[in-house]
Amino acid sequence: MLAILFFLERLVSAMMHLPPQNDAATSCLAAREFDAPRGATRCRRAVLALAVMAMFLGASDLSAEPLATPSAWTIADISQSQDSLNDSIDAELRTTTPALPASLSKDLRSDRIWLVNTRSISHHTCCMNLCQPEFRIERLDQCGQRRASSLDEYLTSMDPTRPRIIYIHGNRRDANKAITQGLYVYRQLACHRHGDQPFDWVIWSWPSEASAVLLADAREKAQRTDSQGLYVAWLLREHHLKSQPTGLIGFSFGGRIVSGALHALAGGTLGRRTLDVPPITGANIDVGLLAPAVDTTWMMPHGHHGLASLNMNRMVLLYNHRDIALRFFKFVSRGPGGHALGYTGPRCFGPRHDGTALPVRAFDCAQMVGNHHSEKLYYEQAGCAGHEMGSLIESTLVID
């Protein structure tokens, strides 16, 4: 027992990096360099180490057998225990978040948050199942916890008096980052909503995780936007058939998916595929685009997404003529010398289904965002982002 206690003392001292007591100069230097947060973490690790060791000791039946000698504790066992402690502490530090404000908790009680995940189904247009796509659908409850849901629950929960906003993230987002980003944008809209209208927020999670160097990765994800546009178009068709007021928000390649989906819904072709069902026009969907990585000419009449405007009610466009990433969009675009809509700003769009011009509110955010291609900066630095995107919540219920 004395040997074990001696071992514990040495372990705690080593984890806390205590200076030798017989060297005053070293102790002084250590005191100057001591960092309070790190010291607190070391203390916590020491306490956890004692707890684990106590658990090991408590697991033995002291009345039945003599206590094992210290030699029974191998270096591998000690190292594994330490690694486990470090992992648990690091995980706790990563997942610790401040409590939600009361106003946001109230929003979560009235709003509903959905997750539509297409990462596990085909992203090749030639292999897609467009009869009944196998979306993985989940719900986020009031505490932000996820639970399994289904396409049937998603469709049967539609309400003509309740807007449903589909948010589509940009490139290089894995499944966890897509949720984090989707919830961040939701909070921005919830804080800037013009009234107390409850709404459904849908996070569209598509296979956009980084898979190659920047240019090759961008070209690969640009091809995947065709399949994602068809998937979104399939879902928008269900929205329209159930008279569900709908808005779409897309950032970067997410904007390309938005315009492609509206084009496919109207009967357009993406990646040599169509929905193979009667086309729908006049869906009157409000659209919000932030730095969209879609060619400036694609939504013109006879453009690559030339039918998209037939299903739009109005558009909010935030662009940046200094965006360093979109400046080199021509290397990703299919046409020679292409320019991104998120870089140039609005040029020309096709008409709406009734022949009238598409109402567009456009803002150049270069002065606030600088040369960054960052969605977060649009909300934090450009004051109009949250306000304009939040306006889609109520405007989806009104047809201009």
Side-chain angles (χ1 to χ4, degrees):
M1 177 66 74
L2 292 176
I4 293 178
L5 293 178
F6 174 77
F7 171 76
L8 287 176
E9 181 183 5
R10 299 286 298 186
L11 176 62
V12 172
S13 298
M15 296 175 67
M16 295 181 65
H17 298 284
L18 294 177
Q21 295 181 359
N22 60 351
D23 190 340
T26 307
S27 298
C28 250
L29 180 60
R32 289 182 191 144
E33 294 178 348
F34 181 75
D35 181 68
R38 293 183 180 177
T41 301
R42 291 169 187 158
C43 289
R44 292 174 60 197
R45 290 185 176 179
V47 172
L48 285 175
L50 290 174
V52 171
M53 297 297 292
M55 180 181 66
F56 288 155
L57 295 175
S60 304
D61 188 354
L62 299 180
S63 62
E65 298 179 0
L67 185 65
T69 61
S71 60
W73 297 87
T74 65
I75 298 298
D77 292 334
I78 298 172
S79 176
Q80 183 177 5
S81 300
Q82 178 64 32
D83 292 341
S84 177
L85 288 171
N86 291 339
D87 291 343
S88 63
I89 293 173
D90 292 340
E92 179 185 354
L93 294 175
R94 286 195 303 268
T95 57
T96 301
T97 55
L100 295 175
S103 58
L104 181 56
S105 299
K106 181 179 179 181
D107 291 340
L108 287 173
R109 287 195 293 270
S110 56
D111 299 336
R112 296 181 298 198
I113 304 178
W114 302 83
L115 176 68
V116 179
N117 192 328
T118 65
R119 295 174 185 266
S120 60
I121 57 180
S122 177
H123 55 263
H124 299 287
T125 55
C126 60
C127 305
M128 296 174 60
N129 176 9
L130 291 176
C131 295
Q132 191 75 17
E134 297 180 354
F135 300 141
R136 180 182 175 183
I137 298 182
E138 296 177 284
R139 287 280 303 274
L140 298 180
D141 64 14
Q142 298 175 8
C143 300
Q145 300 296 319
R146 295 160 60 180
R147 72 167 178 83
S149 183
S150 65
L151 182 61
D152 288 340
E153 181 183 3
Y154 180 91
L155 297 178
T156 56
S157 66
M158 291 186 181
D159 184 351
T161 66
R162 185 186 186 98
R164 185 163 290 194
I165 311 296
I166 301 177
Y167 164 77
I168 308 177
H169 59 80
N171 191 19
R172 304 178 78 83
R173 291 286 183 270
D174 60 25
N176 291 329
K177 289 182 180 178
I179 295 174
T180 301
Q181 190 68 16
L183 290 176
Y184 170 80
V185 177
Y186 161 73
R187 289 178 173 91
Q188 296 297 317
L189 267 68
C191 292
H192 290 89
R193 70 175 86 192
H194 297 173
D196 56 358
Q197 172 66 53
F199 67 102
D200 283 16
W201 180 252
V202 182
I203 301 173
W204 186 275
S205 181
W206 61 284
S208 64
E209 58 275 1
S211 58
V213 294
L214 291 177
L215 184 57
D217 183 72
R219 287 173 174 168
E220 179 184 355
K221 302 309 169 42
Q223 293 181 350
R224 293 185 185 182
T225 59
D226 285 343
S227 61
Q228 296 304 310
L230 288 165
Y231 284 137
V232 175
W234 186 94
L235 193 61
L236 291 178
R237 179 178 174 81
E238 298 298 319
H239 280 218
H240 181 75
L241 295 177
K242 295 182 180 298
S243 302
Q244 173 64 55
T246 304
L248 292 171
I249 296 178
F251 170 72
S252 192
F253 275 146
R256 187 183 181 118
I257 295 173
V258 166
S259 60
L262 296 173
H263 172 77
L265 182 63
T269 301
L270 294 176
R272 301 181 181 180
R273 285 290 300 272
T274 62
L275 290 181
D276 296 328
V277 291
I280 291 176
T281 58
N284 293 309
I285 296 175
D286 284 6
V287 173
L289 302 179
L290 285 82
V294 58
D295 195 288
T296 303
T297 65
W298 277 16
M299 282 184 276
M300 294 181 180
H302 309 293
H304 193 68
H305 294 167
L307 302 179
S309 60
L310 298 179
N311 281 311
M312 292 186 190
N313 181 42
R314 71 183 185 100
M315 177 192 292
V316 175
L317 171 63
L318 304 184
Y319 66 99
N320 177 6
H321 75 269
R322 295 175 56 193
D323 192 310
I324 189 66
L326 295 182
R327 181 181 301 174
F328 300 100
F329 178 79
K330 60 184 178 182
F331 297 108
V332 180
S333 178
R334 296 179 181 178
H339 298 285
L341 179 63
Y343 183 76
T344 65
R347 295 293 177 85
C348 179
F349 299 99
R352 296 191 292 184
H353 75 286
D354 58 0
T356 59
L358 176 68
V360 178
R361 288 174 57 84
F363 302 88
D364 186 354
C365 302
Q367 184 175 359
M368 291 79 72
V369 179
N371 63 357
H372 302 285
H373 188 67
S374 168
E375 182 178 20
K376 194 173 183 180
L377 288 180
Y378 276 88
Y379 288 99
E380 293 183 348
Q381 303 296 333
C384 62
H387 176 81
E388 291 296 330
M389 296 302 159
S391 69
L392 299 179
I393 300 173
E394 284 78 18
S395 68
T396 56
L397 298 173
V398 179
I399 300 176
D400 293 339

